[in-house]
Amino acid sequence: MIILISCQKNERFYVEKVQKYHVGVSKLSIDDSTSLDFIKISYLHVGDKEYLFHQNEFKRTIQVFDLKSGFVENEIRYPVQEPFGLKVVQGITAVSLDSIFVFLPLSIRGTLLINGEGEILDRFMPNKEEDLEKSLINHVSFGAMPTLLHEGKIRFIKLPLFELSNPANINEEFRFETIYDVENNLITEIPESSFPEFYHNKIWAGQDLQVSRTIDNAGRIIYSWKYLDSLIIVEGRNLNKVFSKSEFLNKKPTPFSMIPSSDQKAQHIIENTKYYGIYYDKYRDLYYRTVQLPGIYDKNGILKEMDSRRGFSVMVLDNNFNKIEEVRFPGGIYNIYRAFVGKQGLYLPKNNVLNPDLVENYLDIDIFDFTADE
């Protein structure tokens, strides 16, 4: 009884803390041809308006949602026909209402820049690699790993194509970030984006070998690794590590001693606390580091549901990476993988598959300002 009362008090405390920072809701109107998943998105702030660009795979369009009204203000039909069209779109990055990068899978070659009418403004064709394996760039652009345009260069996060279960492959040679210099038509890799030593020559679950990164107003590149209590800060040629540990992390993750089965990997993913993403809030000069809390593993359960049931926290850091606050959120409501930063704060979509209030024709996005009580 004492334990139960204590847990109830803790839960009330966490709920009240969340409500303290809740400042608004954006309610997007969804048609029958739009999935609630919203995987490939890009936020844009223009004047006094905020937009969420969403790549609709079924319709082969980019929907431009007005975050205030919740309605689609424009729907851009990107090219799909040869010779320049894209059959499959890997991700999008909106630079303005009339400049949207559209990326294709496994390659930077063929990237399009289109306008608000879907017309091609530019097509980027860096030199081909003679080695087919080297020419494949398994880049991603969603969630905490967005493709960014910074100082005339497109920065891609990419994932390995080699066997991750082989500990010999987990070393400093692979680079997780690639830059395409638009003006000079050059592709380069970023040495600071390789596996940290903590991971080297060990066996981990593949999903846990990913990095999140963001760029702040000072041009600093900040990397956050799933099992690293420190952030890696790259400023010019200088690299620093800043301790940034969650108060909810009480067990250090350990690698596997041998190649795990699929059940063992799933259990490891669900039961361990890990850092998911790092986000920069340019409006408040703050950083948000999201933390996935431990869940309950059931080998007969559905992995996506077990993951969706987990709670998470948001660490709020100042411009010197000192922790100001850490706010714990309940599981089963928000989709931590779709969080993004906007003018009003941190935006958390409620398209969690277990959310009991989920409906097909609306996507609710709760907005949190962690400076609201200052």
Side-chain angles (χ1 to χ4, degrees):
M1 183 176 293
I2 292 172
I3 293 173
L4 180 61
I5 291 171
S6 176
C7 288
Q8 289 174 340
K9 284 183 177 179
N10 283 340
E11 287 305 314
R12 281 200 302 271
F13 170 75
Y14 295 137
V15 169
E16 289 170 0
K17 206 171 182 182
V18 167
Q19 291 174 343
K20 180 174 70 170
Y21 297 116
H22 185 258
V23 293
V25 178
S26 177
K27 195 177 190 73
L28 305 187
S29 182
I30 307 297
D31 62 28
D32 293 339
S33 301
T34 302
S35 167
L36 275 172
D37 211 9
F38 270 62
I39 297 176
K40 298 160 188 172
I41 60 174
S42 184
Y43 170 86
L44 184 67
H45 176 209
V46 181
D48 61 350
K49 299 190 75 171
E50 295 178 281
Y51 298 97
L52 189 66
F53 289 66
H54 168 243
Q55 190 262 328
N56 188 316
E57 196 166 327
F58 178 76
K59 299 172 76 174
R60 293 185 173 182
T61 64
I62 298 172
Q63 299 165 307
V64 185
F65 285 88
D66 181 330
L67 283 172
K68 185 176 182 180
S69 72
F71 294 110
V72 173
E73 188 170 289
N74 186 21
E75 189 149 13
I76 305 166
R77 189 166 297 279
Y78 54 81
V80 295
Q81 300 299 326
E82 298 291 349
F84 304 133
L86 306 179
K87 298 294 184 183
V88 179
V89 170
Q90 185 279 331
I92 59 174
T93 297
V95 180
S96 74
L97 291 173
D98 265 325
S99 298
I100 304 103
F101 287 99
V102 186
F103 309 107
L104 69 165
L106 294 175
S107 177
I108 295 176
R109 284 179 60 85
T111 292
L112 298 182
L113 180 65
I114 63 174
N115 64 15
E117 303 296 323
E119 300 166 331
I120 298 176
L121 301 177
D122 209 340
R123 184 169 184 250
F124 303 100
M125 300 294 289
N127 296 330
K128 272 187 176 179
E129 289 275 359
E130 292 184 9
D131 186 330
L132 176 61
E133 187 176 341
K134 287 184 178 179
S135 70
L136 297 177
I137 299 180
N138 186 29
H139 59 91
V140 297
S141 184
F142 59 85
M145 298 178 284
T147 299
L148 301 173
L149 178 68
H150 180 65
E151 296 180 344
K153 300 177 177 64
I154 308 175
R155 304 184 72 111
F156 298 87
I157 290 290
K158 62 177 184 175
L159 301 179
L161 289 168
F162 50 75
E163 178 52 61
L164 292 172
S165 296
N166 182 352
N169 287 333
I170 313 303
N171 53 50
E172 61 183 8
E173 293 181 10
F174 181 78
R175 314 296 192 217
F176 276 82
E177 188 165 21
T178 293
I179 286 181
Y180 173 54
D181 186 328
V182 174
E183 184 177 343
N184 296 305
N185 199 37
L186 291 174
I187 295 176
T188 55
E189 292 183 330
I190 306 303
E192 295 85 2
S193 66
S194 60
F195 286 111
E197 190 175 353
F198 173 81
Y199 289 94
H200 289 184
N201 301 307
K202 299 170 186 172
I203 303 174
W204 304 90
Q207 284 188 25
D208 294 340
L209 291 171
Q210 295 176 6
V211 65
S212 171
R213 72 86 177 84
T214 190
I215 304 175
D216 65 16
N217 285 339
R220 294 181 295 187
I221 319 298
I222 300 96
Y223 296 97
S224 172
W225 291 85
K226 296 229 174 158
Y227 285 145
L228 212 60
D229 286 331
S230 295
L231 296 169
I232 296 175
I233 318 297
V234 179
E235 187 172 6
R237 295 184 178 181
N238 298 320
L239 183 151
N240 295 300
K241 288 185 179 180
V242 177
F243 189 69
S244 179
K245 184 179 179 180
S246 167
E247 66 183 76
F248 299 110
L249 198 152
N250 52 22
K251 184 179 73 170
K252 188 175 181 179
T254 56
F256 294 102
S257 57
M258 60 182 65
I259 295 177
S261 66
S262 57
D263 283 341
Q264 288 172 323
K265 284 191 285 188
Q267 183 175 2
H268 193 272
I269 289 169
I270 295 297
E271 292 185 347
N272 278 289
T273 303
K274 70 190 74 172
Y275 303 99
Y276 173 65
I278 184 71
Y279 306 85
Y280 178 61
D281 185 338
K282 66 179 181 180
Y283 303 98
R284 296 159 188 80
D285 201 16
L286 297 174
Y287 308 87
Y288 309 129
R289 194 179 197 193
T290 52
V291 186
Q292 293 177 283
L293 304 178
I296 299 173
Y297 179 72
D298 176 3
K299 68 177 181 178
N300 297 315
I302 300 171
L303 185 61
K304 186 173 183 178
E305 291 186 359
M306 287 184 278
D307 188 48
S308 299
R309 198 170 286 115
R310 300 166 66 183
F312 65 93
S313 71
V314 177
M315 299 172 62
V316 183
L317 313 174
D318 67 16
N319 58 7
N320 289 315
F321 306 101
N322 300 305
K323 188 167 75 170
I324 301 170
E325 179 70 283
E326 184 163 7
V327 183
R328 180 170 178 162
F329 289 78
I333 297 175
Y334 299 103
N335 189 338
I336 190 177
Y337 303 112
R338 306 290 180 262
F340 61 95
V341 173
K343 183 181 178 182
Q344 297 182 63
L346 182 68
Y347 294 59
L348 288 175
K350 299 175 77 172
N351 53 348
N352 186 302
V353 295
L354 299 180
N355 184 0
D357 298 324
L358 200 63
V359 293
E360 292 183 356
N361 55 339
Y362 289 101
L363 171 60
D364 285 342
I365 304 174
D366 278 358
I367 305 169
F368 297 91
D369 181 355
F370 299 108
T371 65
D373 66 335
E374 292 182 356

